[in-house]
Amino acid sequence: MSAKPIKLVGAAVLAVAGAAGSFTLTTVVMDQMPDALLIGVTTLLAALVVVTIRAAGLGRFLQATPPRDLIIAALGGAAAFWVAPLVVLSQRASDAPSGSEVLFFTTAMWGPIAVAVAVVVLQERPAWAGFAGAALAVAGAAALLANWERPSSFSPFAKFPEQEIVMLGAGAVFALGSAAILMVARKHDNRLVAAVAAGGAGLLSAVVAVFSLGDYGQTIVRLSTELILLGVSQAAFIGGWTSLTHERGLLRSSSVLLSIPAVMTTLFVVERVTGIFGPIPFQIPAVVAGALVCLAGAVSVWIAGTGTAAPAATSGRLAEVAGFLAWLGLAGAAVALFRPALSAAAQGVLGDGFSATWVMVGAESAAGWILFAAALALLAAVRTRRMGSPSATWVSLLVAALVALAASPMLIDTTLHTWNQWVPAAVQQTYGTEYARFSVEALVDPVWIGSAVLVVLSAVLLLSSVLIDRRRAARPELEETQ
Amino acid sequence: MRRLISATTVLALALVLFGGAGCAPQVEVRTGTKVVCTYGEVISDGIHTVKVPAQDAGKYKVRTITRLCPRHAQLESLYQAAQQALAAGDMAAAKKALEQVVAIDPAFAKAAAQLDTIAGGGKPAPDTSSPGGSAATTSTPDKPGDADTGSPAESLLVWAPDKISGFTASRPTVDPLTIARQYVPASGSDAVSFVIAVEQFPSAKLANSGLTAQVKRVYSRDSDTFKLNGHDVYFGTDGQRYGALGFVDGAVMVVLEMSGKSGEPPSGLKSALKAAANQLP
């Protein structure tokens, strides 16, 4: 944990850039050859890059390290860097699930899974801060991805639920593989453990790829530039991710996964502004709001538990009331998830026309989940402060919750799924054209508003209790006289 | 173990809530059949709203049947006869047929104009265009945006006329509050496809919101605003192939969408769209 900040930031940037590059390049070449061959070739290339860079001392390390540790690292690498991407790719067709859904289920949603594995398997703490920050980041990511376009193709668990659940399973494989590598890295030289992990992934992927080669030799040659770039992207991710998990632990490193949708969106905005690949009809204010929530949650996970532990809070009654209000806010937000939040309408004019209006509940809206996650974050802030966690932990959670609440009005009419099983497919496929339309309008829910007010009140009381504690600490004689 | 259970519970809750989002609520669907005259008048409207379980919603359809109503069929026939008589030089027969047309529909502008010419001793040229070109304008109110929303389709049709220079009109797709009409470009045109979509909103404010959401945000490139026929008109493209021009008249939003040839910048469609919009009221 003693790495310099610049090194940590460098590893984080490498991991994010590697993941973003891998996602983009995989989308470019995925339909051109069998999944096992594509992932096999690129994982082998990535392994070659990592092993080459970290070759110094590798021979001695292999001889001196217990075989059990080497096998765990190699299998962990194979799971995280070969099996997980292969499973994901096996669930993707050219445009189904949509790019926004795949990005969501293979980056942001892997964040809480990594946090869960870090808490359960590696016993990393603080669990509350990790889960709350991850929840906020996931809610923000969903909100921003649902605003990449309108009508949005982002409809998690609506059109391709099986594929998306399998992608979550791949996330568990990735997190468990990362945990295995980390456990070995904590006992040995991390750089060389990472090389063994990459080597394990490369070796197994190469063996399987040979059986998928068939007559795709020419295709590999034709796509050599893309495949090399993809291999380098994967190598960057492996290098950055293994360094980061070693220095910051798996829980805090999951912030990298959580932030990828926001980072990729930023790249797309740059692309839109420069007009390199043409426009994407982003809903800019909503996307910015979603990205802020996503990044605020990711930052709180990145910071969680770092710094010097503080003495437990003493301003008893005020902090208790803050905690009580936060619980009430969370309960209200949970209730709001089941209450009417949006009025939706779908209309199609092709063939036999279709026209329907219905009500969507809070669980189908971005604002519903953002309020829930904000209340959770505030509750985590109250709890972590009471338990004497470093101030950066609860301050970042408090700030993230307030950022989320401030951003939620921009996301009040964002639905988390446009696709419905029961609306005729012919209508849904022509949404956004002159033949069909889908629209949503926010409904006023007093429970949502009341819960948001409770969360804000809780935040105010938490800050007040901090000020009182500081005043008491500065004037201990007052304590004695009272 | 306790933490494992907590983590699993949180994940399960998220899955249930996210997954439950697809669960079927009660849905209000519109169903029934509406018969609309080719010229936009609603002949009969049997469409009503029912509340049904969502999984059954797909069974309910809104059928719109377009057919020529007897009144317009008679007008077409009489007007056609008048034009044939004019072509044959039979002024008396032409005058008689035109008088019958105007008696049935005093707002039939072309027939009235031909009658005036005959009454003044002149010999009007026969109208060789489709009779719809005249008849469609017979029953449109002066200000479409202020039209009675009880049967707005006929009032909206004025924004998607039968004739736009350089294009051949298809039959409009008519709905109570919207009309969409495709136009086939003449050979040599810059346009590959051309559609006029007209939508009636409850208020001018909502129509302006609709223009922002459906036109300004979607066609945000090469944007320009200018005055045309007294309207504040917005022009924009998607930066690839499509260009659109939109404006609001009262509570009505009118959108002209055009696609150009592949590889050509859509900003070049601006003049064609302006020319088309210039032929609207």
Side-chain angles (χ1 to χ4, degrees), chain A residues 279 347 353 355 357 364 435, chain B residues 3 21 28 30 62 175 182 238:
Chain A
Q347 190 179 28
S355 176
T357 56
E364 296 167 274
Y435 299 114
Chain B
R3 292 188 186 284
E28 282 188 352
R30 294 172 67 240
V62 179
D175 208 47
Q182 292 196 342
D238 68 351

Side-chain angles (χ1 to χ4, degrees), chain A residues 120 125 157 272 279 283 337-338 347 352-358 363-364 369 416-417 422 434-435 437, chain B residues 3 15 17-18 21 26-30 54 57-58 60-63 175 178 182 195 199 217 220-221 238:
Chain A
V120 175
R125 297 291 180 272
F157 293 124
R272 176 183 173 162
Q283 307 297 308
L337 289 176
F338 296 93
Q347 190 179 28
D352 285 338
F354 177 83
S355 176
T357 56
W358 68 100
E364 296 167 274
W369 282 103
L416 291 185
H417 73 103
W422 47 268
E434 63 267 38
Y435 299 114
R437 62 169 179 248
Chain B
R3 292 188 186 284
L15 281 174
L17 290 174
F18 261 115
Q26 284 279 311
V27 175
E28 282 188 352
V29 289
R30 294 172 67 240
Y60 293 84
K61 308 291 182 190
V62 179
R63 289 197 170 83
D175 208 47
T178 57
Q182 292 196 342
V195 175
E199 184 167 358
R217 286 186 188 156
S220 57
R221 309 294 296 269
D238 68 351

Side-chain angles (χ1 to χ4, degrees), chain A residues 43-180:
Chain A
T43 307
L44 181 62
L45 285 171
L48 287 173
V49 172
V50 174
V51 171
T52 303
I53 290 173
R54 297 180 171 176
L58 187 59
R60 245 185 341 237
F61 177 74
L62 291 175
Q63 285 177 344
T65 308
R68 183 174 171 275
D69 285 355
L70 291 176
I71 290 170
I72 290 173
L75 289 179
F81 307 128
W82 172 57
V83 176
L86 182 58
V87 170
V88 168
L89 192 58
S90 71
Q91 302 304 309
R92 293 182 67 181
S94 55
D95 59 353
S98 64
S100 58
E101 286 181 26
V102 173
L103 187 63
F104 181 65
F105 281 102
T106 59
T107 57
M109 281 297 277
W110 285 14
I113 293 172
V115 170
V117 168
V119 169
V120 175
V121 178
L122 302 173
Q123 303 292 310
E124 290 185 16
R125 297 291 180 272
W128 263 89
F131 281 119
L136 208 47
V138 167
L144 88 86
L145 291 171
N147 282 293
W148 268 12
E149 58 191 343
R150 278 193 196 169
S152 173
S153 57
F154 183 74
S155 298
F157 293 124
K159 201 173 176 184
F160 303 100
E162 295 88 3
Q163 288 85 345
E164 288 157 358
I165 287 169
V166 173
M167 286 181 191
L168 292 183
V173 171
F174 170 78
L176 288 168
S178 299

Side-chain angles (χ1 to χ4, degrees), chain A residues 330-380:
Chain A
L330 184 65
V335 171
L337 289 176
F338 296 93
R339 288 179 51 80
L342 299 167
S343 169
Q347 190 179 28
V349 295
L350 272 182
D352 285 338
F354 177 83
S355 176
T357 56
W358 68 100
V359 169
M360 299 174 93
V361 295
E364 296 167 274
S365 75
W369 282 103
I370 282 176
L371 176 63
F372 184 80
L376 193 64
L378 199 69
L379 190 60

Side-chain angles (χ1 to χ4, degrees), chain A residues 74 110 145 183 198 209 266 271 311 325 339 355 368 373 394 420 469 472:
Chain A
W110 285 14
L145 291 171
M183 282 192 284
T266 309
E271 187 185 276
L325 290 182
R339 288 179 51 80
S355 176
W394 63 264
N420 279 290
D469 274 355
R472 281 178 181 167

Side-chain angles (χ1 to χ4, degrees), chain B residues 167 183 185 188-195 219 235-244 256-270 272-273:
Chain B
F167 298 89
Y183 293 84
S189 170
D190 288 337
V192 172
S193 66
F194 176 40
V195 175
Y219 300 100
F235 168 80
T237 75
D238 68 351
Q240 293 178 321
R241 282 188 66 187
Y242 287 86
L256 292 78
E257 292 171 295
M258 198 176 270
S259 71
K261 290 167 186 159
S262 182
E264 290 189 9
S267 54
L269 297 169
K270 187 173 170 183
L273 280 165

Side-chain angles (χ1 to χ4, degrees), chain B residues 2-214:
Chain B
R2 206 162 62 90
R3 292 188 186 284
L4 179 62
I5 292 169
S6 304
T8 311
T9 307
V10 168
L11 195 63
L13 180 70
L15 281 174
V16 166
L17 290 174
F18 261 115
C23 289
Q26 284 279 311
V27 175
E28 282 188 352
V29 289
R30 294 172 67 240
T31 185
T33 302
K34 182 175 60 179
V35 183
V36 182
C37 174
T38 317
Y39 294 97
E41 285 178 11
V42 177
I43 300 169
S44 68
D45 189 351
I47 293 172
H48 57 284
T49 301
V50 290
K51 202 164 190 174
V52 298
Q55 66 265 25
D56 296 334
K59 298 175 189 165
Y60 293 84
K61 308 291 182 190
V62 179
R63 289 197 170 83
T64 304
I65 298 170
T66 307
R67 67 165 63 118
L68 193 61
C69 70
R71 179 169 163 269
H72 280 108
Q74 191 185 3
L75 281 171
E76 273 192 9
S77 169
L78 286 168
Y79 186 70
Q80 201 63 38
Q83 304 315 305
Q84 283 170 0
L86 284 175
D90 185 350
M91 288 298 124
K95 187 178 177 222
K96 188 181 172 190
L98 288 169
E99 280 172 345
Q100 285 178 289
V101 169
V102 174
I104 296 169
D105 187 350
F108 200 132
K110 281 191 176 179
Q114 287 182 335
L115 261 183
D116 286 347
T117 307
I118 294 170
K123 186 182 173 189
D127 181 3
T128 53
S129 65
S130 73
S134 307
T137 62
T138 59
S139 299
T140 50
D142 291 335
K143 285 197 74 184
D146 298 330
D148 174 13
T149 53
S151 56
E154 88 180 57
S155 67
L156 299 183
L157 200 61
V158 72
W159 298 109
D162 292 86
K163 284 181 72 177
I164 286 191
S165 173
F167 298 89
T168 305
S170 305
R171 282 196 170 184
T173 305
V174 181
D175 208 47
L177 297 175
T178 57
I179 279 181
R181 190 165 204 172
Q182 292 196 342
Y183 293 84
V184 180
S187 59
S189 170
D190 288 337
V192 172
S193 66
F194 176 40
V195 175
I196 295 181
V198 191
E199 184 167 358
Q200 172 82 52
F201 285 83
S203 67
K205 190 180 171 193
L206 287 172
N208 274 305
S209 301
L211 187 70
T212 302
Q214 294 177 37

Side-chain angles (χ1 to χ4, degrees), chain A residues 68 81 87 120 128 173 203-204 212 253 255 296 309 336 349 365 384 395 403 409-410 418 445 475:
Chain A
R68 183 174 171 275
F81 307 128
V87 170
V120 175
W128 263 89
V173 171
L203 201 64
L204 282 172
S212 314
S253 300
S255 57
V349 295
S365 75
T384 50
V395 168
V403 165
M410 304 299 299
T418 301
D445 179 13
R475 293 191 295 172

